[in-house]
């Protein structure tokens, strides 16, 4: 059984109420997947302080404090998996700044601190994913993109979900503080 609870990852003050709903409904939390992000089109030379603050608030504080609330539910049950979705490092100059916090040592710190309670934390690094916008690309654009990837194909949402399911489940019971990369070999 799954419960979807909406909250804005850029507003950590909303997290306790969201996780209270999970506790009320299930009494426990087995897995958390952090998947929100702000990308923008900022470059290093153009970004303004308020834009970087927004990126850090969502991409670092959002993940950190969301994981904190999840850990509060997982620690008493001595089991749980926190999965943080991040993006593959591709040389796309105008989109690099949002990637910095996603792969920060946040997940490793969480993994080390919560391991003694049986709670794991890992990063799932996703490459290109075939989503609706791909329907607007010409065959030539798709071929050009695929030529950059050793497997010459993008992942499907289902393939990323399967990787997250692996990290969430007992098959990965001894995996924590690591990164699983699903990016067609980039």
């Amino acid at each position: 059984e799954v419960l979807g609870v909406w909250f804005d990852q850029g507003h950590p003050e909303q997290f306790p109420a969201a996780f209270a709903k999970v506790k009320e409904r299930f009494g426990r939390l087995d897995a958390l997947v952090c998947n929100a992000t702000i990308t923008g089109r900022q470059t290093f030379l153009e970004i303004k302080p308020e834009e970087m603050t927004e990126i850090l608030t969502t991409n670092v504080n959002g993940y950190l404090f969301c994981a904190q609330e999840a850990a509060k539910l997982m620690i008493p049950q001595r089991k749980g998996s926190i999965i943080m979705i991040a993006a593959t490092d591709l040389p796309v100059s105008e989109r690099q700044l949002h990637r910095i916090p996603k792969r920060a040592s946040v997940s490793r710190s969480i993994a080390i601190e919560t391991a003694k309670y049986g709670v794991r934390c890992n990063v799932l690094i996703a490459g290109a994913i075939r989503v609706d916008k791909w329907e607007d690309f010409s065959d030539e654009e798709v071929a050009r993109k695929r030529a950059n990837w050793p497997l010459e194909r993008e992942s499907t949402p289902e393939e990323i979900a399967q990787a997250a399911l692996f990290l969430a489940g007992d098959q990965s019971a001894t995996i924590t503080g690591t990164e699983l990369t699903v990016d067609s070999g980039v």
Side-chain angles (χ1 to χ4, degrees):
E1 191 174 349
V2 176
L3 171 68
V5 180
W6 186 94
F7 54 87
D8 185 336
Q9 190 152 322
H11 293 277
E13 69 277 3
Q14 297 176 2
F15 298 175
F19 283 88
K21 290 178 184 176
V22 172
K23 184 173 183 174
E24 179 183 318
R25 175 85 176 266
F26 300 109
R28 63 180 293 120
L29 177 63
D30 297 312
L32 169 74
V33 178
C34 296
N35 191 34
T37 191
I38 289 180
T39 58
R41 303 299 292 178
Q42 305 90 342
T43 65
F44 166 69
L45 295 174
E46 299 169 338
I47 194 161
K48 294 177 178 37
E50 61 273 10
E51 292 169 323
M52 194 64 205
T53 297
E54 186 178 22
I55 289 171
L56 291 170
T57 297
T58 298
N59 296 3
V60 175
N61 290 351
Y63 275 37
L64 175 74
F65 293 112
C66 193
Q68 184 183 64
E69 290 298 322
K72 290 176 184 176
L73 294 179
M74 294 173 177
I75 287 171
Q77 64 199 34
R78 311 244 357 128
K79 185 177 183 181
S81 178
I82 298 167
I83 302 155
M84 298 184 169
I85 306 293
T88 301
D89 287 331
L90 292 175
V92 183
S93 63
E94 73 273 7
R95 294 190 65 201
Q96 288 302 297
L97 290 174
H98 89 282
R99 296 171 196 276
I100 295 168
K102 299 291 271 200
R103 302 265 300 275
S105 60
V106 170
S107 63
R108 189 96 161 127
S109 297
I110 293 167
I112 291 167
E113 190 173 337
T114 61
K116 64 186 172 194
Y117 303 109
V119 177
R120 300 175 292 116
C121 183
N122 294 290
V123 177
L124 173 55
I125 301 171
I129 303 170
R130 182 149 191 124
V131 292
D132 294 345
K133 71 179 182 179
W134 281 68
E135 304 308 320
D136 298 332
F137 297 153
S138 69
D139 290 343
E140 295 79 24
E141 288 173 306
V142 170
R144 201 168 35 253
K145 288 176 178 295
R146 289 179 176 163
N148 293 311
W149 310 321
L151 289 177
E152 297 182 349
R153 65 179 288 269
E154 62 284 350
S155 297
T156 65
E158 293 79 13
E159 289 167 328
I160 301 301
Q162 286 298 318
L165 188 59
F166 167 73
L167 289 174
D170 290 337
Q171 303 89 337
S172 63
T174 60
I175 299 173
T176 194
T178 194
E179 297 176 343
L180 173 62
T181 305
V182 181
D183 71 352
S184 294
V186 173

